[in-house]
Amino acid sequence: MSGLLAAALALAAGQAFAAVVGLVSSPILAVGGATIDSTPEFMKSFAIATFGSNDKVALIGGMATILAIAAIAIGLLAVRAIWLGWIGIALFALIGSGAVLSRPTAQPIDVIPTLLGSIAGVIALTGLIRAARFRPVPAERTALSAEATESTFRARRQFLIATTVVGGLTVMAGGIGLAGLARPSSPTAGLKLPVPADVGAAAPSGASAAVSGVSPFLTPNARFYRVDTAIIPPVVDPATWRLRIHGMVDHELSLDLPTLLARPSIERDLTLTCVSNPVGGPYAGNARWIGIPLKALLEEAGVQAGADQIVSRSVDGFTVGTPTAIAMDGRDAMLAVGMNGQPLPIEHGFPVRMLVPGLYGYVSATKWLTDIELTTFAAYDSYWVQRGWDAKAPVETMARIDTPAGLSTVPAGNVAIGGVAWALHRGIDKVEVQVDEGPFVPATLAAVDTLDTWRQWSYAWAATTGRHSITVRATDGMGMTQTESRADPFPNAATGWHSLVVNVS
């Protein structure tokens, strides 16, 4: 009990001080971020595959469990010798301080909340242990049972008072810390999206397969997948936001948000997908984006010969490396500020994120963008490349079955099979469906929007009673059919045909 209470106060106090100093100094967020950075790739892939967008919640839950076990151990050690408890808390302070300083944007001052929280934990542990220690009545006076009872009562009352005080302080500090983590109620309300100078054609009416259960052609913002390393998405003040473009350029640029928004903008439908998406997985979405063309900004800066990589940085220090040639080859690469007619949601990069059609997000789609550096692949490895992922992984052709759901039961007769397929910046020319061991037969394709969006498909299946497997594959606009060979996402994206089993009654 003493160890748990002391640890709770230490964490709450540290988070409360971090609310004043800045969230980068939060020991909880720092340890969580450092854990993500240092976790072996197979464990990250397992977490994403198992918990999906709730992987951060699972991480915090795991951290809390480990901390609780360690806190109990510290409390037991402190009962034997209080200095052992102090050493235990000091070790956690050292770990927390190291995690804080490992954050890309951290300064030495950012360790102060961790140190002050640890001091609070030491004081609390000392007080609780002293209050918990029972001082028995001397042996020669044990016959005086009333005195012994009173002594025991005083000891228990003293411990109860100590736990109440520590608990109260923990609640107060926790409230302050949570207030510091609170999201603004309407952080994007003051941002007026620019009127695009170049509006892409609206998706044709036939772009939707009109099959119940298939993902909508445009993914609502609230349902758009989120995969990133931020435990809590950064809240960026648009009034102070700036973008720096530098490195191997002729003229360094520095733009505030009004200046960026004043530039000619475009509106396009673009599909994004994550390299960690498994075969048939949910980490793909399609939205209508408003943004400022990236090519025009880079041309104004003057990209120097040999600068084959664009390193883009988030406000939290996360980095992405993009091939310069691809970003400037004429495709609709942009600095996006709007998503489906609204300013970017916080979790999707408000106020500005980078998008390069045809590339996986980890090499193109930096959220909370604040810095663009022109450099070379030889000179710098971005965040995920440092962890073994391919620097230039091409987007694989992929088809997904959205309906019927795997292991579901459907009635015999006419059953609509449907889903989406994508081969970004190449387009989808054909989708084929196989039932059991039968031949692959063409599915009906919805109308094409652009080569940079997914394409819906459907197939009318005359289902017979029994257990059946359904498989789908796609062929891109270059005539290449997706490979049957199965591969995990690491290190350069999953491959294979999506298959599932359904029961027909």
Side-chain angles (χ1 to χ4, degrees):
M1 170 70 86
S2 298
L4 280 175
L5 282 173
L9 178 59
L11 286 175
Q15 191 60 47
F17 289 121
V20 177
V21 176
L23 286 185
V24 71
S25 66
S26 164
I28 298 174
L29 299 184
V31 171
T35 301
I36 291 174
D37 292 348
S38 59
T39 298
E41 184 51 48
F42 76 92
M43 293 184 65
K44 290 180 183 177
S45 299
F46 171 79
I48 291 174
T50 305
F51 303 107
S53 57
N54 294 317
D55 57 338
K56 312 298 190 305
V57 176
L59 170 65
I60 293 174
M63 288 170 50
T65 300
I66 293 172
L67 181 62
I69 294 172
I72 292 172
I74 288 174
L76 293 175
L77 289 172
V79 169
R80 298 181 62 183
I82 190 62
W83 60 269
L84 292 175
W86 295 344
I87 290 176
I89 293 177
L91 288 175
F92 273 95
L94 184 63
I95 293 171
S97 297
V100 169
L101 291 176
S102 74
R103 301 298 83 205
T105 59
Q107 301 295 325
I109 193 176
D110 292 320
V111 302
I112 290 178
T114 299
L115 298 179
L116 292 178
S118 300
I119 292 172
V122 167
I123 294 172
L125 181 65
T126 303
L128 288 167
I129 292 299
R130 287 177 176 173
R133 283 175 174 160
F134 173 67
R135 298 175 182 176
V137 177
E140 65 272 12
R141 298 167 60 185
T142 53
L144 303 175
S145 59
E147 185 176 353
T149 300
E150 175 62 22
S151 176
T152 301
F153 176 77
R154 284 198 305 268
R156 291 176 177 174
R157 181 175 59 186
Q158 185 176 356
F159 183 70
L160 178 61
I161 292 173
T163 56
T164 301
V165 170
V166 173
L169 291 173
T170 301
V171 170
M172 291 174 57
I176 296 172
L178 289 175
L181 294 175
R183 308 284 89 182
S185 58
S186 185
T188 64
L191 180 64
K192 183 178 180 181
L193 291 176
V195 177
D198 181 358
V199 178
S205 58
S208 294
V211 173
S212 177
V214 173
S215 302
F217 181 74
L218 289 178
T219 310
N221 292 355
R223 291 176 55 187
F224 207 94
Y225 78 92
R226 178 195 164 201
V227 177
D228 53 54
T229 62
I231 295 179
I232 295 181
V235 177
V236 181
D237 183 355
T240 60
W241 177 89
R242 295 194 73 86
L243 172 67
R244 181 188 178 205
I245 302 177
H246 63 108
M248 296 175 66
V249 297
D250 297 330
H251 312 287
E252 183 172 319
L253 299 181
S254 180
L255 307 170
D256 59 16
L257 192 57
T259 302
L260 181 69
L261 296 179
R263 299 179 67 97
S265 58
I266 60 176
E267 185 175 39
R268 296 289 190 272
D269 294 340
L270 302 176
T271 294
L272 302 185
T273 184
C274 180
V275 72
S276 62
N277 198 32
V279 173
Y283 305 130
N286 187 50
R288 193 164 180 86
W289 308 87
I290 294 175
I292 290 75
L294 175 60
K295 182 180 179 181
L297 285 166
L298 296 180
E299 288 177 338
E300 183 176 330
V303 178
Q304 296 175 358
D308 62 357
Q309 180 177 209
I310 301 168
V311 174
S312 49
R313 291 180 173 84
S314 167
V315 296
D316 62 0
F318 179 79
T319 57
V320 164
T322 306
T324 306
I326 291 179
M328 298 187 69
D329 70 358
R331 68 188 68 199
D332 293 316
M334 67 171 76
L335 303 188
V337 295
M339 182 178 183
N340 289 330
Q342 301 293 325
L344 289 175
I346 288 177
E347 61 270 21
H348 293 298
F350 178 82
V352 180
R353 74 177 296 173
M354 196 167 102
L355 297 177
V356 181
L359 298 180
Y360 286 114
Y362 85 109
V363 292
S364 69
T366 311
K367 300 177 182 178
W368 313 293
L369 179 69
T370 189
D371 186 277
I372 291 176
E373 179 184 3
L374 276 297
T375 182
T376 67
F377 281 102
Y380 186 81
D381 288 336
S382 60
Y383 182 91
W384 285 115
V385 176
Q386 293 174 26
R387 289 155 179 81
W389 289 83
D390 195 334
K392 303 176 183 179
V395 175
E396 298 288 346
T397 300
M398 188 64 64
R400 186 181 76 196
I401 303 168
D402 287 346
T403 187
L407 301 180
S408 63
T409 299
V410 298
N414 189 23
V415 173
I417 304 174
V420 293
W422 59 87
L424 302 181
H425 210 61
R426 302 186 303 277
I428 292 292
D429 270 4
K430 182 169 61 176
V431 171
E432 299 170 289
V433 176
Q434 179 190 54
V435 177
D436 298 325
E437 298 301 320
F440 275 96
V441 294
T444 300
L445 290 174
V448 175
D449 183 7
T450 74
L451 298 181
D452 294 327
T453 63
W454 60 18
R455 196 169 181 185
Q456 296 194 351
W457 59 270
S458 62
Y459 176 73
W461 173 36
T464 58
T465 303
R467 189 177 180 88
H468 300 278
S469 65
I470 303 172
T471 303
V472 65
R473 69 184 183 188
T475 299
D476 69 17
M478 307 297 289
M480 299 296 294
T481 299
Q482 71 179 95
T483 178
E484 180 184 6
S485 177
R486 277 274 182 162
D488 292 330
F490 182 80
N492 52 14
T495 61
W497 298 340
H498 187 206
S499 298
L500 53 77
V501 172
V502 297
N503 298 302
V504 179
S505 60

